[in-house]
């Protein structure tokens, strides 16, 4: 028996146009929702800096706390930073706290005051007064924790980005990552960017780059004595700052040159000099001083260091106009003095650094420039001054530097730094 097929009403099917409309609308709503989430989770955030001081009750101030180069200064600063960090990590500000840094230890009576900067990241709509109160509440628990007896100041000061920069650049050894209290410590490539090595100086003879130098105060530059063997008249010299030798961001005349009295060109011993600038310079993000090491500071073979300068890229080549950087490792004096190396020519006041292949090395035009290392608190110390080497970039012939720790007292006698 024939049964006609039932007719399905058209209303049970969606038009293709309706389906497309629904899909596109859903996608747009999802995209807007995700966009708003990203905005409020990321772009709605702003960085805030605060300064506070802390009285350390059970530590007596000593001369060892005068310089960030000493183990005592470093150890105490790290303990204070650790206590502050732990307090915030265990508080309701854990998701907003980024980092803290003790900028300075100073004397008050017989005790110690620590000045610290703290970095937070929270909503742009955050109430600054409320934020200060929350920070103050967290800091109050410091006096009841750890082996240090700490009394935080009742005063917490909001800092602008510029305030923070000014605060940190008045002390030595800060690179951009520390100035912004960033957790990143990346140095990539061979060309340096503005502000990467703010203590780097170009010492120019008759306005042409001749040697590198290292800013150690607002008035003094550390360099190599051999730079001035033939040209010792200060009137011929200027110091420039910035990554370019032909487009410097600052140029200052030289007032005086003091080379080590016992510099010996034949052995290259005591290859160190200091240059006094005609006027003090004002520190900023791109120009400020490196830290000087303590005379007792240990420089460990195999540890990483960086050499910077405008020297030639090949032996006998021309100097470059844009600052370059190279990562090397400290080489022990014994290894450096092996027969395949320098056969005993490296003296106690010298330091070797390079890579086994010789591919990274200082060269002509780098003389007088810095060999620097970073400490555990992201402060940079000058450990060597580019002095000499056999040609450039050869295996088993690392660069030889004046060992700054050997001459720490001499530097202080000449400059007061």
């Amino acid at each position: 028996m024939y049964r006609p097929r039932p007719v399905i009403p058209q209303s049970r099917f969606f038009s293709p146009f309706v389906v497309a409309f629904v899909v596109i609308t859903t996608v747009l709503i999802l995209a807007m929702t995700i966009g708003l989430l990203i905005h409020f989770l990321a772009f709605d955030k702003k960085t805030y800096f605060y300064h506070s001081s802390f009285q350390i009750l059970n530590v007596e101030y000593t001369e060892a706390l005068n310089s960030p180069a000493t183990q005592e200064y470093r150890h105490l600063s790290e303990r204070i930073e650790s206590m502050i960090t732990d307090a915030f990590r265990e508080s309701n500000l854990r998701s907003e706290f980024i980092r803290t840094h003790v900028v300075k230890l100073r004397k008050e009576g017989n005790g110690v005051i620590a000045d610290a900067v703290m970095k937070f990241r929270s909503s742009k709509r955050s109430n600054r007064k409320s934020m200060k109160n929350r920070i103050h509440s967290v800091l109050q628990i410091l006096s009841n924790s750890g082996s240090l007896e700490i009394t935080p100041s009742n005063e917490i000061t909001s800092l602008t980005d510029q305030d923070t920069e000014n605060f940190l650049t008045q002390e030595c050894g800060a690179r951009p990552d520390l100035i912004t209290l960033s957790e990143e410590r990346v140095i990539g490539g061979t060309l340096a960017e503005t502000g990467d090595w703010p203590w780097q100086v170009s010492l120019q003879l008759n306005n042409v780059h001749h040697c590198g130098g290292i800013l150690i105060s607002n008035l003094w530059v550390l360099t190599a004595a051999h730079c001035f063997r033939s040209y010792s008249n200060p009137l011929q010299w200027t110091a420039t700052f910035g990554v370019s030798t032909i487009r410097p961001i600052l140029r200052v005349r030289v007032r005086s040159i003091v080379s080590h009295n016992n510099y010996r060109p034949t052995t290259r011993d005591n290859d160190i000099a200091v240059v006094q600038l005609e006027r003090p310079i004002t520190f900023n993000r791109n120009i400020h001083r490196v830290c000087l090491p303590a005379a007792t500071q240990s420089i460990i073979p195999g540890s990483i260091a960086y050499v910077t300068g405008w020297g030639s890229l090949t032996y006998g080549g021309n100097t470059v106009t844009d600052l370059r950087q190279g990562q090397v490792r400290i080489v022990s004096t014994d290894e450096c003095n092996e027969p395949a190396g320098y056969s005993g020519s490296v003296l106690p006041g010298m330091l070797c650094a390079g890579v086994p292949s010789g591919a990274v090395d200082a060269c002509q035009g780098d003389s007088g420039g810095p060999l620097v290392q970073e400490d555990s608190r992201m402060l940079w110390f000058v450990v060597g001054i580019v002095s000499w080497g056999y040609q450039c970039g050869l295996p088993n012939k690392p660069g030889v530097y004046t060992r700054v720790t050997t001459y720490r007292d001499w530097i202080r006698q000449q400059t007061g730094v």
Side-chain angles (χ1 to χ4, degrees):
M1 179 180 174
Y2 171 74
R3 291 188 180 183
R5 295 174 74 182
V7 178
I8 301 174
Q10 185 69 28
S11 61
R12 289 183 60 183
F13 291 95
F14 288 112
S15 162
F17 297 105
V18 173
V19 172
F21 176 77
V22 170
V23 170
I24 291 170
T25 302
T26 303
V27 170
L28 286 173
I29 291 171
L30 282 171
M32 288 176 65
T33 304
I34 292 169
L36 287 169
L37 281 171
I38 291 172
H39 173 78
F40 286 112
L41 291 175
F43 296 103
D44 188 47
K45 299 287 187 179
K46 183 180 176 182
T47 296
Y48 298 94
F49 293 96
Y50 295 90
H51 162 253
S52 190
S53 57
F54 302 82
Q55 185 177 15
I56 317 303
L57 300 175
N58 58 338
V59 175
E60 185 175 335
Y61 193 91
T62 65
E63 289 298 312
L65 297 178
N66 274 341
S67 167
T70 65
Q71 286 288 353
E72 291 87 348
Y73 188 110
R74 188 176 298 122
H75 182 57
L76 180 56
S77 297
E78 287 178 334
R79 289 174 68 193
I80 297 167
E81 290 163 355
S82 178
M83 287 179 68
I84 295 172
T85 298
D86 289 346
F88 282 110
R89 294 286 185 232
E90 295 168 6
S91 75
N92 60 6
L93 282 171
R94 67 178 68 86
S95 61
E96 292 159 281
F97 174 76
I98 304 297
R99 194 168 160 230
T100 188
H101 180 75
V102 171
V103 180
K104 189 176 181 64
L105 298 177
R106 52 190 170 90
K107 183 177 182 179
E108 185 172 280
N110 292 325
V112 179
I113 300 288
D115 289 303
V117 174
M118 296 163 287
K119 179 181 180 180
F120 297 84
R121 188 169 177 82
S122 61
S123 170
K124 292 178 181 177
R125 293 161 293 155
S126 294
N127 182 294
R128 298 300 289 266
K129 184 176 181 180
S130 171
M131 187 70 171
K132 279 188 185 181
N133 290 336
R134 292 172 69 194
I135 293 170
H136 183 264
S137 296
V138 173
L139 293 179
Q140 295 312 301
I141 69 172
L142 289 177
S143 57
N144 301 315
S145 64
S147 57
L148 289 179
E149 293 180 22
I150 296 182
T151 299
S153 168
N154 287 324
E155 185 176 351
I156 297 172
T157 307
S158 298
L159 300 175
T160 64
D161 291 356
Q162 187 62 54
D163 291 335
T164 306
E165 179 180 310
N166 293 341
F167 201 22
L168 286 162
T169 55
Q170 294 313 301
E171 302 307 313
C172 67
R175 291 186 75 243
D177 49 2
L178 181 56
I179 292 171
T180 58
L181 293 191
S182 167
E183 293 292 349
E184 299 177 1
R185 308 188 194 186
V186 178
I187 304 169
T190 55
L191 283 175
E193 296 183 9
T194 300
D196 276 356
W197 308 104
W199 41 81
Q200 177 78 50
V201 180
S202 167
L203 291 172
Q204 302 198 352
L205 178 65
N206 299 321
N207 296 318
V208 176
H209 173 77
H210 188 73
C211 273
I214 310 137
L215 191 64
I216 59 171
S217 79
N218 64 352
L219 198 59
W220 289 96
V221 174
L222 185 65
T223 187
H226 77 258
C227 292
F228 309 107
R229 282 187 64 193
S230 303
Y231 309 98
S232 58
N233 182 357
L235 297 178
Q236 295 178 287
W237 292 87
T238 52
T240 71
F241 302 84
V243 295
S244 171
T245 56
I246 56 176
R247 295 179 303 278
I249 56 179
L250 179 66
R251 185 184 296 272
V252 182
R253 292 183 178 277
V254 167
R255 170 170 291 173
S256 64
I257 299 167
V258 182
S259 294
H260 199 288
N261 283 336
N262 294 322
Y263 167 59
R264 297 289 180 264
T266 51
T267 61
R268 309 174 188 92
D269 200 16
N270 304 309
D271 189 12
I272 187 170
V274 287
V275 169
Q276 186 180 26
L277 302 176
E278 187 178 61
R279 59 180 173 84
I281 60 175
T282 301
F283 292 155
N284 58 45
R285 182 187 185 91
N286 299 322
I287 306 172
H288 54 269
R289 62 192 171 112
V290 75
C291 293
L292 286 165
T296 56
Q297 185 166 316
S298 177
I299 301 170
I300 302 168
S303 59
I304 290 174
Y306 286 86
V307 58
T308 51
W310 293 275
S312 56
L313 304 182
T314 57
Y315 181 67
N318 295 322
T319 58
V320 298
T321 57
D322 294 314
L323 185 65
R324 297 179 71 86
Q325 60 198 19
Q327 185 188 95
V328 292
R329 290 188 180 272
I330 303 299
V331 179
S332 72
T333 301
D334 287 345
E335 181 181 343
C336 209
N337 270 330
E338 288 178 353
Y342 289 116
S343 299
S345 297
V346 178
L347 304 177
M350 301 174 185
L351 177 68
C352 294
V355 296
S357 66
V360 183
D361 195 9
C363 207
Q364 295 108 323
D366 288 322
S367 290
L371 178 74
V372 294
Q373 291 192 300
E374 184 184 29
D375 78 353
S376 57
R377 301 183 59 244
M378 295 173 70
L379 293 177
W380 289 81
F381 290 79
V382 57
V383 295
I385 304 166
V386 178
S387 181
W388 64 279
Y390 181 73
Q391 296 190 16
C392 310
L394 296 180
N396 301 314
K397 295 291 190 293
V400 185
Y401 301 77
T402 304
R403 187 183 290 263
V404 175
T405 52
T406 302
Y407 298 94
R408 185 64 189 90
D409 291 339
W410 182 87
I411 295 168
R412 185 179 295 108
Q413 289 165 9
Q414 305 305 318
T415 67
V417 179

